Amino acid sequence: MKFEKFACYRFWFLVGSQDLYGKETLDKVETHAQILVNSLDQAPALPFPITYAGTMKTSTEIEHIIRLANGDETCAGVIVWMHTFSPSKMWINGLSLLQKPYCHLHTQFNRNIPNAEIDMDFMNLNQSAHGDREHGFIAARMGLPRKIIVGYWEDLDVQQHIGSWMRAAYGALISKQLKIIRFGDNMRNVAVTEGDKVGVQIQLGWQVNTWGVGDLIREMESVSEKEIDLLVQQYQEEYEMATDQIESVRYQAQEEIAIRRFLDRENAMGFTNTFEDLQEMRQLPGLATQHLLSLGYGYGGEGDWKVAAMTALLKTMTADLNNGTGFMEDYTYDLEGGNELSLGAHMLEVCPSFASERPRIEVHPLGIGGKEPPARLLFEGHPGKAVLVSLVDMGGRLRLISQDIEVIKPILPMPNLPVARLMWRAAPNFKEGTQMWILVGGAHHSTLSFDITEEILEDWSELMGIEHLHIGKESSVKELKQQLKISDLIWRIQVR
Ligand code: MN
């Protein structure tokens, strides 16, 4: 059984062959293809269903199936495999029309060569080794972006690569539908949270629009006491009520209901606000935003709509995994030589999907903004390998930055810190990793995810046509500087 939200999309599996082989061989190709696709469809490493879409023998068939794939909203991508030799001039007209993410699986039906039995009939039936080379050539010649996965189809690593690419393809599809609501504008004078919203919509499909905070306040006024009662009851079930200031908690519930109604009415997947523009709202949404994040909505503080969208997107791409994905900010450091650590948090809005313990609802004053003390969730993050992701606008082009991190259990209790927090060690090490993040222009805001991977981000960036720079254990400042010089050239001339 596939995860419910993923089950309404499917990937089409196209097998390449040609008429030359005759019916007997083509029947075998068909049987093999169905066995392979059914097995992949059942594989837990593939989060999405996969459907056998036929064995292609002529250019007419190929063009027809590509047009069908393009027109089918439930088709999230196309995977091809040449079981036999499939002359690639047959594929040109079809592939030139292809608008869906494209993956070339280079495998063969049999794992081993049957040494004792092998004859020319076997050789002619099982010739992916050269059929897929002919196919690879035409995709290279046409300059088509595609994912190439090599290996035996029953092997876990091959299935994991397919699964990873499926998430990226799904992310490309969701990107084209993604809407973000901004309540108010960005925090004044901040640079990195700005960006070209028209350019982003052309490139990524994101629709980012602003509503006045007054519109949200009016929505809050229409929330009933009964609705607040029900949500507070839900808070009590999910979290530990560690405050007697129930009115503050009820106010957060009122904010959450109003924001959620707004988002759902506009079909939006995330939102931003800023403590600088709350108008008559009495509290900055804290618990409200945290609970919305836990439900899968994206959020960005201080009007940061790019991080709100990335958070919504990465949550959606990994919605079946639940190891924790949310909005994050590099806050402060522990600079103990050789064991330097980052302490990440935000004013309030840390996603409870990171929690290592049952979150506590507490009410504390906020140092800035001059509003009432807001209710918020407090917890420590759980340990594990994760990735920080930041999308920045470089002026006419977008750059996606990611970095491997190791989240650790915070070294000491911090009894006076009234926000949820995570502590981590950046790759390849604190000094070089942080130098590289700053060198490439990575923001102080990011999406932290225990579920996303470099591979998914790389494939997604390629599908969206944007630059991706990853900082991992192999990265070095020297090589990154070289890479930046080259990619600055490449991406500058690719500006639309
Ligand atoms: Mn911030």
Side-chain angles (χ1 to χ4, degrees):
M1 276 297 287
K2 302 293 181 192
F3 180 66
E4 195 188 333
K5 279 183 185 159
F6 292 172
C8 48
Y9 293 99
R10 28 194 65 245
F11 286 80
W12 290 19
F13 195 95
L14 269 59
V15 177
S17 189
Q18 59 178 325
D19 277 327
L20 182 76
Y21 297 107
K23 190 175 181 314
E24 196 185 329
T25 300
L26 287 170
D27 284 348
K28 279 184 193 155
V29 168
E30 181 100 10
T31 306
H32 288 174
Q34 277 166 349
I35 292 168
L36 184 148
V37 174
N38 288 339
S39 165
L40 287 180
D41 186 50
Q42 298 298 317
L46 274 62
F48 290 85
I50 175 167
T51 309
Y52 172 60
T55 296
M56 304 295 115
K57 300 173 294 293
T58 65
S59 62
T60 313
E61 284 175 356
I62 295 164
E63 199 177 317
H64 179 69
I65 201 79
I66 300 285
R67 283 186 195 281
L68 286 182
N70 285 343
D72 189 330
E73 287 180 16
T74 67
C75 172
V78 169
I79 302 173
V80 302
W81 166 55
M82 306 302 116
H83 187 312
T84 53
F85 197 80
S86 183
S88 280
K89 281 160 83 175
M90 269 173 25
W91 286 80
I92 293 173
N93 291 11
L95 286 176
S96 65
L97 298 172
L98 182 64
Q99 294 163 345
K100 299 282 177 170
Y102 170 32
C103 172
H104 183 183
L105 175 64
H106 180 45
T107 188
Q108 67 181 16
F109 185 70
N110 54 303
R111 182 191 289 274
N112 299 110
I113 296 172
N115 294 303
E117 288 95 46
I118 190 164
D119 56 14
M120 270 330 278
D121 285 345
F122 182 92
M123 293 281 271
N124 284 330
L125 177 63
N126 300 285
Q127 39 178 319
S128 304
H130 71 280
D132 273 332
R133 281 176 163 75
E134 166 74 357
H135 190 79
F137 165 73
I138 205 62
R141 172 71 176 75
M142 294 171 75
L144 299 173
R146 80 273 199 212
K147 172 83 167 181
I148 302 165
I149 299 168
V150 179
Y152 193 58
W153 51 280
E154 283 189 313
D155 287 349
L156 183 61
D157 73 306
V158 168
Q159 297 180 352
Q160 283 169 339
H161 285 301
I162 300 172
S164 166
W165 172 78
M166 283 177 157
R167 290 183 194 280
Y170 176 63
L173 187 146
I174 293 298
S175 215
K176 299 291 178 188
Q177 311 164 3
L178 203 159
K179 292 183 182 174
I180 296 293
I181 289 182
R182 303 162 78 227
F183 294 113
D185 208 306
N186 298 48
M187 182 180 169
R188 285 181 281 279
N189 291 315
V190 178
V192 78
T193 58
E194 296 282 354
D196 173 3
K197 296 195 282 296
V198 174
V200 166
Q201 188 169 347
I202 294 168
Q203 190 89 45
L204 306 179
W206 300 353
Q207 299 169 61
V208 182
N209 286 294
T210 307
W211 272 262
V213 178
D215 297 328
L216 180 58
I217 292 170
R218 261 196 301 284
E219 192 73 47
M220 284 179 65
E221 286 162 358
S222 72
V223 174
S224 71
E225 292 297 315
K226 176 85 184 128
E227 288 173 292
I228 296 173
D229 291 345
L230 284 172
L231 186 53
V232 170
Q233 202 180 322
Q234 200 183 336
Y235 290 158
Q236 280 168 326
E237 283 160 19
E238 292 177 33
Y239 312 123
E240 186 193 330
M241 190 69 79
T243 178
D244 53 9
Q245 298 180 51
I246 300 301
E247 273 315 304
S248 176
V249 177
R250 291 183 68 81
Y251 192 75
Q252 290 285 329
Q254 190 180 353
E255 290 180 326
E256 175 177 340
I257 294 161
I259 296 168
R260 190 173 180 183
R261 268 194 211 156
F262 225 106
L263 295 174
D264 292 349
R265 189 167 57 229
E266 297 297 330
N267 223 353
M269 290 169 65
F271 70 103
T272 69
N273 56 19
T274 164
F275 69 93
E276 273 187 348
D277 187 6
L278 293 175
Q279 305 298 326
E280 306 309 315
M281 284 172 79
R282 294 182 354 235
Q283 295 177 21
L284 177 66
L287 169 60
T289 301
Q290 290 176 291
H291 193 242
L292 285 166
L293 275 161
S294 78
L295 297 174
Y297 294 96
Y299 172 77
E302 293 93 52
D304 192 340
W305 49 272
K306 295 192 298 301
V307 83
M310 277 318 295
T311 303
L313 188 65
L314 300 187
K315 276 179 173 285
T316 307
M317 288 158 78
T318 58
D320 55 326
L321 299 176
N322 290 319
N323 294 307
T325 296
F327 171 59
M328 189 46 62
E329 178 172 277
D330 286 83
Y331 229 111
T332 197
Y333 294 134
D334 192 295
L335 292 180
E336 182 62 36
N339 189 28
E340 292 93 343
L341 295 164
S342 296
L343 182 68
H346 202 252
M347 288 168 76
L348 299 169
E349 309 90 343
V350 182
C351 181
S353 65
F354 296 139
S356 62
E357 58 204 345
R358 189 171 153 94
R360 300 178 310 283
I361 299 177
E362 295 188 17
V363 176
H364 300 277
L366 208 55
I368 41 180
K371 292 284 179 178
E372 284 180 12
R376 81 284 305 272
L377 293 172
L378 252 76
F379 54 86
E380 278 184 0
H382 65 76
K385 290 190 187 307
V387 179
L388 285 180
V389 182
S390 168
L391 181 77
V392 293
D393 188 326
M394 299 299 286
R397 66 195 177 101
L398 297 167
R399 170 178 286 168
L400 187 74
I401 301 151
S402 56
Q403 181 167 38
D404 292 330
I405 59 168
E406 173 91 37
V407 182
I408 61 147
K409 185 174 166 39
I411 41 177
L412 288 168
M414 301 171 190
N416 293 313
L417 184 66
V419 289
R421 78 298 301 247
L422 273 72
M423 219 169 192
W424 66 79
R425 195 174 281 128
N429 57 64
F430 174 81
K431 285 183 182 171
E432 288 175 279
T434 306
Q435 187 183 344
M436 286 187 261
W437 184 272
I438 289 173
L439 180 70
V440 299
H444 59 290
H445 285 165
S446 58
T447 303
L448 188 153
S449 176
F450 288 89
D451 290 320
I452 209 76
T453 62
E454 176 193 359
E455 184 180 5
I456 302 173
L457 293 168
E458 178 65 24
D459 290 341
W460 180 78
S461 303
E462 192 174 352
L463 287 167
M464 307 319 292
I466 63 170
E467 180 188 13
H468 174 219
L469 296 169
H470 181 77
I471 304 163
K473 66 177 191 311
E474 310 287 334
S475 305
S476 79
V477 175
K478 197 175 164 189
E479 279 172 24
L480 186 63
K481 280 186 174 172
Q482 284 303 317
Q483 192 188 337
L484 276 181
K485 280 179 192 161
I486 295 164
S487 66
D488 273 347
L489 274 174
I490 296 165
W491 294 99
R492 255 175 217 155
I493 54 171
Q494 286 210 356
V495 172
R496 286 163 198 257

